[in-house]
Amino acid sequence: MTDHIIVERSADHPGVQIIRFNRPDKKNAITRAMYVTMTDALTAADADPDIRAIAFLGTEGCFSAGNDLGDFLAAAMGGGMPGEVIGFLHALVRARKPLVSGVDGLAIGIGTTMHLHCDLTIASARSQFRTPFVDLALVPEAASSLIAPRVMGHQRALAMLAAGEPFSGEEAREAGLVWKVLEPQAVESATLAAASKLAAKPPEALRISRDLIRGDREEIIARIDEEARHFAARLQSAEARAAFEAFMRR
Ligand code: COA
C-alpha cells in the first residue's frame, strides 16, 4: 500500500471506483508500490459487483510523468523491467469493468500509453501526451506498438512512440487517443460523469459490448510481453543507463 495512489469511492458517483495518482511533488511519477496498489484496485474491482466503472485521475496540471526514473535506473543496474509494471499492464487488459480516464497536463510514458486501454479519455487542451521511449534508449510498452497504429495510423503512432513528439490534448483527440477535450476545471467532473453513466448501464450487456469492441485480449497480452522482453534488454544497455543517470543528475 502507498498513499501515492488514492483508491476511493464517491457518494455522488455510485458504482465508480476512483484510482487517483497522488504524488504531485514528483509529477505523479509511478513507483513499483504505486503499480501494485493500482493492480490490487483493478483486481478487487473485478470481483466486486458494486463497482461498475473505474476512473483514473491525476492531480491539477499533471496526470503522470510516467514510470519513476529512479526505479528504471535501479532496474537497469539489476533485474529487468520491474514485474510490477507488467502486472499492472496485464490487469489493465484483463479489467472487466469499463475504464475511464481524465487528463489535465502532463501525461508521459505510461501516463500516455495506459489511455490506449481506457474506454473513454477526457483531457484538457493544455495536456501534453508524450512518450520519450527512444530518447531514453527504450522501446514502447503497454502494447502501444500494437494498439496505437490501429487507433491513430502508422505515421502518428511513430511520431508519438518512436520520435517522442508531444501531442496536445486536441492533437490527441484528433489522433483518437482522447474522446473529448474540455477546460481544465471541467475534466474531473466530466470524467466522473462519464464513468457514472457507464456504471448505470446494464452491466452484462456493457461487458459483452466492451469485449467485442476491444477485441482479443490474448493478442494484446502477447504484445505486452514481447515488448517487455525488448524493454528489459534495452534497460540493461549502457545508453539507457546513461539517459537515466543524466535525468537523475539534473
Ligand atoms: N521519475 C522520477 N522523478 C520524476 C519523474 C520521473 N519520471 N518526473 C519528474 N520527476 C521528479 C523530478 O525529479 C523532480 O523531483 P525533485 O523536485 O526532487 O528534483 C520533480 O519530479 C519535479 O519535476 P521537474 O522536472 O522539476 O518538473 P518540470 O515541470 O520541470 O518537468 C517533466 C516535468 C515531467 C517534463 C520532467 O520532470 C521530465 O521530463 N520527467 C521525466 C519524464 C519521463 O521521461 N518519464 C518516463 C517515460 S518512459
Side-chain angles (χ1 to χ4, degrees):
M1 280 294 281
T2 165
D3 57 5
H4 290 149
I5 294 287
I6 298 175
V7 180
E8 61 189 345
R9 307 279 293 275
S10 138
D12 295 339
H13 302 282
V16 178
Q17 174 86 280
I18 302 168
I19 301 179
R20 187 192 294 278
F21 293 109
N22 181 41
R23 198 189 177 205
D25 55 321
K26 298 288 182 185
K27 304 285 177 190
N28 294 332
I30 313 172
T31 60
R32 299 169 80 154
M34 291 163 74
Y35 285 114
V36 170
T37 301
M38 291 194 290
T39 304
D40 290 349
L42 287 172
T43 309
D46 266 355
D48 184 344
D50 290 342
I51 298 175
R52 291 166 64 161
I54 289 156
F56 286 103
L57 293 168
T59 47
E60 192 189 345
C62 184
F63 184 75
S64 171
N67 202 97
D68 187 284
L69 288 176
D71 278 3
F72 269 171
L73 181 59
M77 300 295 200
M81 190 178 195
E84 294 86 349
V85 183
I86 306 286
F88 171 64
L89 293 176
H90 284 192
L92 262 188
V93 177
R94 298 216 185 277
R96 291 165 66 85
K97 312 287 169 81
L99 307 175
V100 178
S101 52
V103 177
D104 174 33
L106 286 171
I108 303 188
I110 198 168
T112 283
T113 55
M114 62 180 279
H115 305 293
L116 292 165
H117 300 276
C118 290
D119 302 296
L120 297 172
T121 297
I122 293 172
S124 62
R126 69 178 180 180
S127 295
Q128 186 192 102
F129 295 87
R130 187 159 62 85
T131 60
F133 297 124
V134 174
D135 295 325
L136 291 168
L138 298 171
V139 295
E141 37 68 318
S144 55
S145 65
L146 178 74
I147 305 172
R150 289 180 179 169
V151 167
M152 56 181 81
H154 172 83
Q155 300 245 340
R156 282 185 291 199
L158 191 128
M160 176 177 274
L161 297 175
E165 291 291 331
F167 282 48
S168 67
E170 193 52 52
E171 287 166 333
R173 192 193 61 75
E174 283 168 10
L177 179 67
V178 160
W179 176 43
K180 275 185 184 173
V181 173
L182 299 174
E183 292 300 314
Q185 61 276 13
V187 167
E188 179 162 328
S189 57
T191 302
L192 292 172
S196 291
K197 263 188 154 174
L198 290 176
K201 304 278 181 206
E204 204 48 26
L206 179 60
R207 187 187 63 71
I208 296 167
S209 305
R210 181 173 178 267
D211 283 354
L212 289 167
I213 294 166
R214 293 213 68 84
D216 183 5
R217 282 186 167 87
E218 295 316 313
E219 182 190 23
I220 298 173
I221 294 277
R223 181 60 68 95
I224 286 172
D225 294 347
E226 183 185 352
E227 290 170 345
R229 285 192 288 278
H230 290 292
F231 202 100
R234 293 290 89 223
L235 265 178
Q236 307 288 324
S237 69
E239 55 185 15
R241 192 177 304 183
F244 305 145
E245 282 171 349
F247 178 78
M248 303 313 284
R249 268 200 312 272
R250 292 176 322 156

